[in-house]
Amino acid sequence: MSQPKSMDAIMALCKRRGFIYQASEIYGGINGFWDYGPLGAQLKKNLREAWWQDMIMNPAWGRKGPNGERVRCVPLETCIIQHPKVWEASGHVGGFNDPMVDCKESKGRYRYDHVMVFVPESGDPGDKPVFAYVGDQPSEAKQRKKAEKTFGAVRSVALSSLPQPWTRVIGPDAEKPGTLTEPRMFNLMFDTIPGAIRDEANKAYLRPETAQGIFVQFKNVVDTTRVKIPFGIGNTGRSFRNEVTPRNFTFRSREFEQAELEFFCHPSESQDWYRFWRDFRMEWWRSIGLAGENLILREHDKDELSHYSQGTSDVEYRFPFTAPGFGELEGIAHRGCYDLTQHQEHSKVKLDYFDTTRGETLPNGGKKGERYIPHCIEPAAGLDRGALALICEAYTRDESRPSPEILRFHPRVAPIKAAVFPLVDKDGMPEVAERLADELFRRFGRDGFIETDAKQSIGKRYARMDEAGCPFCFTIDGDTLKDQTVTARDRDTGQQQRIALDKVAGFLAERLA
Ligand code: ATP
């Protein structure tokens, strides 16, 4: 296994090159909110568009689904604020809770299922205190030290495995034992009051996921378009969760973007579709640059599944801050008919589907039809975690280079597609460079920046592009004026080759696909 990369170095590069900034930074920032700078905004747009293209417009790259037909999907764009009853039906208002423990001494609040405790490796702690911590937080190393001083060798157990009250447990950021409260529920929904009357009765919520917008418009999509089951509806956009401890850069934020597909199918075909989407989603993340041992597909154990789910897998990435463990990028869940049934019950509107391709065969050869509530497979991805994984995976240090930091983005998601440099800022070279940059801009400027730069040494200019993840640089030099060739430089290998000036656009087109 390779060494974990330094998250501090990655965050510094993100700031320095304009990928990610703290939201409201000039006012000291606001915890759990991040803005994307010019390169980050374009990176995220490329990720979103790759998702849109490969999940909605040309789903699963034009492959046939388990039914032997082309996969069909349509897009939808729904509001952040919905009728509050949507969230009652979905179970979010009642049940979207994480049990939390508070520390009376440090005033810290921790997710109950994240708190671990160092206890002696063997035997009982007796009267001695045991040390609680949260994995990948500073408390882990600090508490381990104290625990080893007290017990020698230690092992970790979940806080939940210790009997309550936890009178001998020292909280992750506390000094005295017995200050952790029993676990309490904490609702993650942000609320707001639309309209002029600031009255509790008018309370609404910022959506905690984009998926419910799809279920509540399912009937409209079926009634107003020509979709037939099996088909999917995709929705992307901002979601909000009042995470108690936002952390790990953008990984756990309070405002984030999701890209979710709900794929509706007949119950008898749902397991096949579940496997289809699970496998495709893994392949997809690989295709945009998360290849290798840092990406895994983890099938949930039976006891991890929600009560309605008949299968869930997570695509997980080994982030520097989770290593050697993994963090979720996307969940692919078989949700059965849970959501449509819930909305049908709460709204009193029928959300079943009449399938004219099923049921008994009629004397005329047609089918009698079957009415049912479709089953749903949900690949639910996070674009911020996706963008962060792309950055972490791309980040490479190569000490042999003049500037050792390189972002090896897959060309499809790279925010800068190409750079064109005149070797020197005179002798007709800038004009040729401008013309080439214009041509590349017309062809590729929709998908990313085409940079030009005539200042500094050529080595420094290459290094700046390596750091920003630009896959190819083209340099116009003295020979260009004589033989109409340019130097094409590859970011990953640093190698250069001469190619004809009029072949540059074709060269790039082949490699950006
Ligand atoms: P976790 O267990 O990490 O809180 P989750 O299982 O609650 O995540 P889902 O409800 O399945 O997440 O949401 C789908 C995707 O949305 C996640 O895979 C993740 O990429 C993204 N996501 C969820 N919560 C956040 C968050 N607080 N910040 C950034 N992305 C998030």
Side-chain angles (χ1 to χ4, degrees):
M1 202 181 74
S2 48
Q3 278 294 313
K5 300 172 184 179
S6 153
M7 207 51 216
D8 287 344
I10 292 174
M11 287 171 73
L13 178 66
C14 281
K15 167 82 192 289
R16 192 169 75 244
R17 295 309 308 266
F19 281 93
I20 301 174
Y21 308 130
Q22 236 190 336
S24 312
E25 192 183 295
I26 60 167
Y27 290 100
I30 168 165
N31 196 10
F33 297 88
W34 298 93
D35 290 338
Y36 287 82
L39 292 186
Q42 184 62 36
L43 172 72
K44 212 169 135 198
K45 176 171 183 283
N46 290 345
L47 177 63
R48 185 188 308 111
E49 289 197 347
W51 185 91
W52 189 278
Q53 183 63 26
D54 299 346
M55 294 296 282
I56 301 179
M57 305 317 283
N58 183 28
W61 302 324
R63 280 191 195 155
K64 299 214 161 63
N67 59 345
E69 289 173 19
R70 238 178 94 87
V71 182
R72 287 163 304 183
C73 294
V74 290
L76 184 71
E77 189 179 312
T78 64
C79 283
I80 285 170
I81 295 180
Q82 301 278 341
H83 194 292
K85 282 202 175 142
V86 169
W87 309 112
E88 285 170 29
S90 68
H92 286 94
V93 173
F96 197 71
N97 294 313
D98 282 326
M100 308 299 299
V101 287
D102 286 325
C103 176
K104 289 184 228 154
E105 181 189 321
S106 71
K107 308 289 175 231
R109 175 172 278 167
Y110 313 95
R111 237 170 89 167
Y112 181 39
D113 59 341
H114 287 176
V115 184
M116 303 293 293
V117 183
F118 287 121
V119 296
E121 190 171 63
S122 56
D124 198 69
D127 293 344
K128 293 191 179 137
V130 291
F131 298 84
Y133 69 95
V134 177
D136 73 47
Q137 293 278 291
S139 61
E140 180 170 356
K142 192 190 72 192
Q143 296 289 74
R144 175 185 288 278
K145 234 186 190 163
K146 288 189 188 164
E148 284 172 348
K149 220 165 148 194
T150 314
F151 301 120
V154 293
R155 69 191 167 99
S156 300
V157 297
L159 177 65
S160 57
S161 67
L162 303 184
Q164 285 184 50
W166 298 307
T167 44
R168 278 205 286 275
V169 177
I170 299 185
D173 304 296
E175 300 295 329
K176 292 192 294 279
T179 58
L180 290 183
T181 65
E182 64 188 52
R184 288 185 288 220
M185 294 312 235
F186 186 87
N187 197 296
L188 297 183
M189 299 268 279
F190 276 104
D191 53 38
T192 182
I193 300 181
I197 316 267
R198 299 201 66 78
D199 181 334
E200 268 294 292
N202 294 329
K203 193 158 88 178
Y205 301 94
L206 305 190
R207 67 179 170 199
E209 60 171 43
T210 55
Q212 295 303 320
I214 300 178
F215 296 118
V216 299
Q217 292 294 1
F218 170 75
K219 186 174 157 46
N220 270 335
V221 174
V222 170
D223 290 349
T224 60
T225 70
R226 302 184 61 202
V227 289
K228 298 267 180 297
I229 280 198
F231 74 93
I233 304 179
N235 197 13
T236 68
R238 299 290 178 132
S239 293
F240 301 81
R241 294 183 193 175
N242 198 2
E243 298 280 359
V244 182
T245 36
R247 63 180 183 282
N248 291 333
F249 205 14
T250 57
F251 182 85
R252 189 167 300 286
S253 318
R254 290 182 167 141
E255 175 174 348
F256 55 96
E257 188 172 346
Q258 293 184 305
E260 300 194 283
L261 183 82
E262 299 298 336
F263 194 83
F264 300 95
C265 58
H266 188 269
S268 66
E269 293 181 346
S270 58
Q271 281 300 339
D272 291 341
W273 281 108
Y274 166 62
R275 283 190 289 271
F276 176 85
W277 284 113
R278 179 196 63 189
D279 297 345
F280 176 69
R281 293 307 299 153
M282 186 68 184
E283 250 186 273
W284 186 81
W285 284 108
R286 282 203 197 104
S287 79
I288 53 169
L290 300 185
E293 60 177 15
N294 289 335
L295 194 75
I296 57 162
L297 184 71
R298 190 178 69 83
E299 188 96 37
H300 285 209
D301 295 333
K302 280 259 167 322
D303 56 2
E304 260 184 286
L305 297 177
S306 344
H307 62 280
Y308 50 78
S309 181
Q310 299 178 29
T312 297
S313 305
D314 289 342
V315 177
E316 297 186 339
Y317 179 73
R318 181 157 46 209
F319 290 94
F321 49 78
T322 59
F326 294 80
E328 177 184 326
L329 280 187
E330 166 161 358
I332 300 105
H334 183 318
R335 298 183 63 89
C337 59
Y338 176 76
D339 304 270
L340 288 177
T341 309
Q342 285 292 107
H343 287 298
Q344 174 167 286
E345 272 170 24
H346 283 75
S347 66
K348 310 276 180 269
V349 174
K350 281 238 160 265
L351 296 178
D352 56 3
Y353 175 83
F354 186 66
D355 192 333
T356 54
T357 66
R358 292 176 185 272
E360 284 164 38
T361 308
L362 299 170
N364 66 4
K367 295 281 185 186
K368 188 164 175 219
E370 182 186 332
R371 194 170 280 287
Y372 57 90
I373 299 209
H375 274 199
C376 203
I377 312 303
E378 175 189 87
L383 295 182
D384 305 270
R385 286 189 190 174
L388 186 58
L390 292 176
I391 292 171
C392 292
E393 183 69 17
Y395 182 85
T396 323
R397 278 193 79 90
D398 181 347
E399 302 300 338
S400 67
R401 300 252 197 131
S403 163
E405 288 179 303
I406 306 166
L407 287 179
R408 296 180 197 264
F409 287 126
H410 188 285
R412 187 174 183 199
V413 293
I416 304 177
K417 297 301 185 198
V420 181
F421 300 142
L423 185 61
V424 289
D425 200 6
K426 56 182 185 192
D427 300 336
M429 294 180 212
E431 291 75 10
V432 181
E434 268 312 307
R435 274 201 302 280
L436 178 60
D438 277 351
E439 183 194 349
L440 299 185
F441 178 75
R442 277 195 302 277
R443 275 196 65 177
F444 307 103
R446 241 178 14 154
D447 304 321
F449 297 99
I450 305 296
E451 295 275 295
T452 50
D453 187 358
K455 301 270 157 9
Q456 295 188 310
S457 76
I458 193 71
K460 284 215 174 103
R461 284 181 270 166
Y462 286 151
R464 266 186 71 74
M465 285 299 115
D466 288 347
E467 235 186 25
C470 166
F472 302 102
C473 298
F474 301 98
T475 302
I476 313 297
D477 55 21
D479 286 345
T480 310
L481 306 176
K482 289 185 222 139
D483 64 6
Q484 300 294 303
T485 63
V486 304
T487 298
R489 176 186 176 275
D490 181 293
R491 173 199 63 201
D492 294 345
T493 60
Q495 275 173 359
Q496 308 187 359
Q497 54 176 304
R498 292 300 288 189
I499 62 171
L501 182 59
D502 61 3
K503 296 271 181 337
V504 170
F507 173 95
L508 201 53
E510 259 173 43
R511 288 161 178 79
L512 290 185

